[in-house]
Amino acid sequence: MKAYTLAQIQAILQGLNLKDNQTLLIHSALQNFGILQGYEIARIPQVWLHSLLELTSTHNLIVPTFNYDFPESHLEDLRFQQSKIGILNEEFRKIAPLRSTHPMFNFCGFGRNAEKILQPTALETNPFLQTSVFHRLFLENALMLFLGIDLRVCTFMVYVEAMFGVKYRFFKPFLGEVITHNGQRLQGEFYHFCLPQSEKLKVSYHRIQQDLLCANILRFFPLGGSGIYTFRAKEFFYFVQNRLRQEPFLLLETPPKTHYHWINNAEQIIGGGAKSHKILCNPLY
C-alpha cells in the first residue's frame, strides 16, 4: 500500500494559493490515499480534519453531510443525523456549528461566510436550484476539492444538470419534516433531481472529466495511492453547460429512450407520441 506524509498534505493545501475569505467544498475518500506515515489508520481522519480546519481562520469550509434515509423515514433530526458519504465528512459533522436544512442533501460549515452560504434557519426544499447551497457555492465561485476520489461523487454536477434543464432527470418530491441544527421543526416538500427507474440510466463522468482536465479547469495533485482533484465552481459550471449544448447526453452511459416526469405520485413517460403511463418507482430514485 502506498504512503504519504503530513508535509505533502500541507504542501498541496498551501499550493492552492488561496486568497482571504475563499470558500472551499470538500468531498473525500481518504482510504484511497493509503498509509499516512507516522500515524495509525484510526488517526488519519483527525489529521486531515485538523489540517483543513486550519484554513478556516481565513477561509470558509463547507462539507457535504448527505444522508438518504428521508424517503423512508419522512423525519430527519439534523442535530444527530449522520453523514453517509465518508469518514472525514462525518468527523466534520460531529463538530460543525452550522448545518443546512435539506433532509438528504445538507452541508455543514465553518468560517466567516458559512452561515450566509448554509442559511441554517431557512427551509431548503430543492437542493439543485437557485435557492440552494449549491447555487450559493456557485455564486461564491467555491473551490471544490475531491480528496482521494474523482468526479464520480460530484453532486455539484447534478446542480449543473438541473440549471441546464436536462430532459433525462425529473424533480421528485418527498413530504416530511426536519429538525434543524438549532432544534427548529420545519415541514415541507423536499426534492431530489432523479433519474428514471424504468430505464436504469447510469451516469458516466469519464468523458467530461477528461475534457475538464484538458481544458485545465480540473486540476490533479497526486498524493499517496490517489490524489486531489480541484476546480472552481463557475468555470466548471459554464464549461459543462456548454458541453451539454453540444452533447445533451454526455453525462450518461447511453442515451435515454424517452423522457420522464413525476406526475400524480408516479413516474410517467412523456413524449415520443407514446401514451403516458405510470411506472412504480423506488423511493429514492
Side-chain angles (χ1 to χ4, degrees), residues 178-220:
V178 295
I179 302 174
T180 69
H181 206 250
N182 65 0
Q184 183 181 10
R185 302 183 76 100
L186 300 172
Q187 294 183 338
E189 195 170 65
F190 302 91
Y191 288 85
H192 186 4
F193 198 38
C194 296
L195 290 170
Q197 184 187 13
S198 55
E199 283 197 45
K200 303 296 183 183
L201 295 178
K202 294 182 179 180
V203 299
S204 176
Y205 294 164
H206 177 73
R207 288 177 60 201
I208 193 65
Q209 180 166 299
Q210 294 305 309
D211 290 349
L212 288 158
L213 284 167
C214 290
N216 203 35
I217 292 172
L218 182 65
R219 301 173 66 198
F220 178 72

Side-chain angles (χ1 to χ4, degrees), residues 102-146:
H102 194 276
M104 291 180 280
F105 299 97
N106 52 68
F107 302 77
C108 67
F110 308 80
R112 188 191 314 166
N113 287 0
E115 185 168 4
K116 181 182 76 172
I117 295 166
L118 298 182
Q119 296 189 8
T121 61
L123 186 65
E124 181 175 319
T125 57
N126 195 316
F128 301 115
L129 291 181
Q130 292 95 333
T131 55
S132 69
V133 173
F134 273 130
H135 187 66
R136 292 187 288 275
L137 289 169
F138 164 76
L139 295 176
E140 292 267 330
N141 198 22
L143 179 68
M144 303 199 174
L145 278 67
F146 292 72

